[in-house]
Amino acid sequence: HTEKFVICQKKCYYYIAILKSVLYIKVISEENGSYVIEAEVYGKGILMWLLSQGSRVEVLKPDSMREEMIAVLQKMNQMYNN
């Protein structure tokens, strides 16, 4: 199962292509050191990598991956605010 997604990465000095789960990657646009990247990936490793980037990365689409990121971040927020 593969999934295509788009992220906006701010001031990142290395490429997402270092991930073994990336099948395809394309830089769609760049402006002031921020990139919009489209990639096709498989597995859940991408979620862990995206989370490791903190506020330097935002999932723009698909909505399902964006919602998954939000759910994990909300759970983390609850853990640290209780």
Side-chain angles (χ1 to χ4, degrees):
H1 173 270
T2 65
E3 185 165 6
K4 194 175 195 178
F5 72 98
V6 177
I7 62 171
C8 176
Q9 192 159 4
K10 300 170 182 79
K11 296 184 180 176
C12 183
Y13 299 105
Y14 48 90
Y15 283 98
I16 193 173
I18 62 171
L19 296 172
K20 294 178 183 177
S21 60
V22 173
L23 299 174
Y24 157 88
I25 187 167
K26 179 180 178 184
V27 176
I28 298 186
S29 66
E30 184 273 329
E31 184 175 327
N32 299 324
S34 293
Y35 300 86
V36 175
I37 300 168
E38 177 182 270
E40 186 173 350
V41 300
Y42 65 92
K44 292 290 184 181
I46 188 65
L47 181 63
M48 293 296 110
W49 184 83
L50 291 168
L51 289 165
S52 77
Q53 300 308 298
S55 63
R56 293 182 305 262
V57 67
E58 178 184 5
V59 174
L60 302 176
K61 57 183 174 179
D63 290 339
S64 60
M65 182 170 272
R66 187 174 173 89
E67 290 166 6
E68 190 171 2
M69 287 284 290
I70 290 168
V72 170
L73 293 169
Q74 286 174 336
K75 186 174 182 178
M76 290 173 68
N77 188 37
Q78 289 174 348
M79 287 172 51
Y80 287 98
N81 284 312
N82 285 332

